[in-house]
Amino acid sequence: MGNVMVAAKARSSSRSKEKIREENELIILIAAEKVFAKHGLKGATTKQIADMAILPKSNIHYYFHTKLNLYRYVLESILVDWMKAADTFDTFDEPREAIRYYVGAKMDLSRTRPFGSKVWANEIISGAPVMEEILSSRLKKWVDTCVNSINTWIELKKIVNVGDAHTLLYMIWATTQHYADFEYQVKILNNGKRLTDAEFEEKKQQVIDLVLRSVGLNP
Amino acid sequence: MGNVMVAAKARSSSRSKEKIREENELIILIAAEKVFAKHGLKGATTKQIADMAILPKSNIHYYFHTKLNLYRYVLESILVDWMKAADTFDTFDEPREAIRYYVGAKMDLSRTRPFGSKVWANEIISGAPVMEEILSSRLKKWVDTCVNSINTWIELKKIVNVGDAHTLLYMIWATTQHYADFEYQVKILNNGKRLTDAEFEEKKQQVIDLVLRSVGLNP
DNA sequence: AAAATATTTGACCATTTGGTCAGGTTATAA
DNA sequence: TTATAACCTGACCAAATGGTCAAATATTTT
């Protein structure tokens, strides 16, 4: 028993201030992502976030000061992940491969980080009051390059002329994010059972094939 | 001046109790749909709804008793509209026409009733706590018939084998509803300008064509 | 016309909520 | 070892919120 105490003490002592901050911020961010996903910015309470993080409420305020501030951090963190996945769009010359990888990556993100997607969806649905600036600067810029890629493919007759490249992009976003944002509906319509990993891989392939055919490519 | 008073009095007197109830309930439902769309069930306040309806808060409680009850009515009302539009799916034998009309109808609903779509999205994102029963009964049943139609088309080689019919259905839902749920993002990425009616018709055609090609049909 | 029924609304209340703060503990620098 | 800075948290508070209610007004029925 004394050993346990000593070990606990030692472990506790070895946590540097830096590590403590790092760990707690992460714990809070993960908890906040879940709570914001379920209740939105206004609906989420700092108490819920604190309970989810198994920390006293004051601790949340100590690290992030205000709820709005914490919300911003959550959204920023999601955007970083999304942008990373989005890079694959440029790394392939052939639209078949580019689309295959991009859609695949977006599906994977919907599977691995569904709460982030939901927070984002919530933010946009409620009028993007917090992210408007970032949308019209960072995201707009990225979308423009994406649109350029697609238009080049169209000019080179590598894919069908879809009219406005945005329409294709939105279809990809909407379809892939559906599996995160509407996962409860998907679950209910799958006889109440969450998709297994194997099932999800199937759907991913099907989505990829749908998108490829939609631009005139044979999967 | 006396005439105006008399006219006002007469008009006021002529409103029957029945009409009063009908009108006020509609006013409140429309206001509530907007507020719930922006803030979700928990985030929306009865005060906001009252202000949007230009009525005292007590009046909202008089007609709908609780906020949750009002929320239920809003969701029910949306589902009715959606089901109506969805009927077109069965009225055509040829998939080309069926898909064309269904996707078109869903796009039109996204344009004409974006707030309803947002409330629905919010409800699903937050785990469908209120609509779960209706989802697993009414919606499930409708989806099953839809899936049957699609599978028949596949068996008859009228469309490509998409694997799971749900995947196609979800793509249609997600893509069409994107123009309602994510309209602020669409606006921002359209250089801050909301899509005009003409532009929206263009996008609608493009979406229809994308979906048709995705199942191997030439638009 | 008067009784009965339905609508309207300001005042009110218990509860919840975001946020503060003082006083304590723990780690680190001197 | 001691001083300093960072971390921790229970207690607290002002504001907001969902909902109630009684009294006033308007319509309908008898």
Side-chain angles (χ1 to χ4, degrees):
Chain A
M1 197 180 93
N3 284 342
V4 172
M5 293 294 282
V6 169
K9 185 72 192 307
R11 206 186 315 125
S12 161
S13 295
S14 73
R15 291 216 315 169
S16 72
K17 297 260 160 167
E18 201 184 358
K19 260 276 176 281
I20 288 173
R21 176 153 220 121
E22 218 169 84
E23 283 177 17
N24 281 346
E25 282 182 355
L26 187 63
I27 287 170
I28 294 169
L29 277 171
I30 289 171
E33 189 169 305
K34 286 185 192 172
V35 177
F36 282 133
K38 195 163 202 93
H39 302 292
L41 170 58
K42 289 196 66 177
T45 71
T46 52
K47 177 68 161 49
Q48 287 174 315
I49 295 169
D51 287 350
M52 183 74 76
I54 317 177
L55 283 173
K57 196 183 68 166
S58 317
N59 218 319
I60 272 72
H61 283 100
Y62 174 69
Y63 281 107
F64 290 93
H65 198 52
T66 66
K67 185 170 79 159
L68 181 61
N69 199 35
L70 174 54
Y71 180 71
R72 259 191 255 271
Y73 273 94
V74 170
L75 280 176
E76 284 276 357
S77 151
I78 296 154
L79 191 59
V80 168
D81 255 32
W82 278 21
M83 290 289 197
K84 256 188 279 177
D87 284 343
T88 63
F89 205 76
D90 287 326
T91 49
F92 295 92
D93 278 345
E94 284 306 304
R96 194 190 315 270
E97 297 315 306
I99 290 172
R100 200 190 293 279
Y101 276 81
Y102 180 53
V103 174
K106 286 236 50 188
M107 285 294 281
D108 288 341
L109 263 180
S110 278
R111 182 71 173 181
T112 56
R113 211 176 170 187
F115 297 114
S117 185
K118 290 191 185 97
V119 178
W120 188 268
N122 239 320
E123 163 70 6
I124 304 299
I125 287 172
S126 57
V130 176
M131 294 303 274
E132 184 158 24
E133 285 168 40
I134 286 178
L135 278 181
S136 47
S137 56
R138 258 202 279 175
L139 186 63
K140 178 72 165 66
K141 196 168 277 179
W142 181 81
V143 166
D144 285 345
T145 66
C146 242
V147 167
N148 279 340
S149 300
I150 295 170
N151 283 334
T152 305
W153 294 335
I154 293 173
E155 281 162 28
L156 297 175
K157 308 269 187 199
K158 287 188 172 185
I159 64 171
V160 148
N161 183 3
V162 295
D164 182 353
H166 291 90
T167 311
L168 170 60
L169 207 53
Y170 294 160
M171 189 185 78
I172 294 174
W173 288 356
T175 306
T176 54
Q177 286 164 220
H178 183 87
Y179 289 85
D181 303 342
F182 287 68
E183 69 172 315
Y184 297 108
Q185 184 172 284
V186 169
K187 180 185 166 190
I188 290 171
L189 296 178
N190 190 41
N191 299 310
K193 288 171 297 197
R194 183 169 188 267
L195 296 179
T196 64
D197 285 347
E199 281 172 335
F200 191 82
E201 281 300 315
E202 263 180 40
K203 313 293 175 197
K204 194 211 287 188
Q205 260 320 308
Q206 292 167 5
V207 169
I208 291 172
D209 292 350
L210 280 172
V211 173
L212 286 175
R213 277 194 301 268
S214 78
V215 296
L217 291 173
N218 202 325
Chain B
M1 197 181 98
N3 284 342
V4 172
M5 294 294 283
V6 169
K9 184 74 191 305
R11 208 187 313 125
S12 161
S13 296
S14 72
R15 290 219 314 171
S16 74
K17 297 260 162 173
E18 202 183 357
K19 261 276 176 281
I20 288 173
R21 176 151 220 122
E22 218 169 84
E23 283 177 17
N24 281 346
E25 282 183 355
L26 187 64
I27 288 170
I28 293 169
L29 278 171
I30 290 170
E33 189 169 306
K34 286 185 191 170
V35 176
F36 282 133
K38 195 164 202 93
H39 302 292
L41 169 57
K42 289 196 67 178
T45 71
T46 51
K47 178 68 161 50
Q48 287 174 316
I49 294 169
D51 287 349
M52 183 74 76
I54 317 178
L55 283 172
K57 195 183 67 165
S58 318
N59 219 317
I60 271 75
H61 283 100
Y62 173 70
Y63 281 107
F64 289 93
H65 198 53
T66 66
K67 185 171 78 160
L68 180 62
N69 199 36
L70 174 54
Y71 180 71
R72 259 192 254 271
Y73 273 93
V74 170
L75 279 176
E76 284 277 356
S77 151
I78 295 154
L79 191 60
V80 168
D81 255 32
W82 278 21
M83 290 289 197
K84 255 187 279 178
D87 284 344
T88 63
F89 205 76
D90 287 325
T91 50
F92 294 91
D93 278 346
E94 285 305 307
R96 194 190 316 269
E97 297 314 306
I99 289 171
R100 200 190 293 281
Y101 276 82
Y102 180 52
V103 174
K106 286 235 52 191
M107 285 294 282
D108 288 340
L109 264 180
S110 278
R111 182 71 172 181
T112 57
R113 211 176 170 189
F115 297 113
S117 183
K118 290 191 186 95
V119 178
W120 188 268
N122 239 319
E123 163 70 7
I124 305 298
I125 287 172
S126 58
V130 176
M131 294 304 274
E132 182 157 25
E133 285 168 42
I134 286 178
L135 278 181
S136 48
S137 57
R138 257 202 280 175
L139 186 63
K140 178 71 166 67
K141 197 166 278 178
W142 181 81
V143 166
D144 285 345
T145 66
C146 241
V147 166
N148 279 340
S149 301
I150 294 170
N151 283 335
T152 307
W153 294 335
I154 293 173
E155 282 163 28
L156 296 176
K157 309 269 186 197
K158 286 188 171 185
I159 64 171
V160 148
N161 183 4
V162 295
D164 182 353
H166 291 89
T167 311
L168 170 59
L169 207 53
Y170 294 160
M171 189 186 78
I172 293 174
W173 289 356
T175 306
T176 55
Q177 286 163 220
H178 183 87
Y179 288 86
D181 303 341
F182 286 68
E183 70 172 314
Y184 297 108
Q185 184 172 282
V186 170
K187 180 186 166 190
I188 289 170
L189 296 178
N190 189 43
N191 299 310
K193 288 170 297 197
R194 184 170 188 264
L195 296 180
T196 64
D197 285 347
E199 281 172 333
F200 191 82
E201 281 300 314
E202 263 180 38
K203 314 291 175 197
K204 194 211 290 188
Q205 259 321 307
Q206 292 167 5
V207 169
I208 291 172
D209 292 350
L210 280 172
V211 173
L212 286 176
R213 277 193 302 268
S214 78
V215 296
L217 291 172
N218 200 326

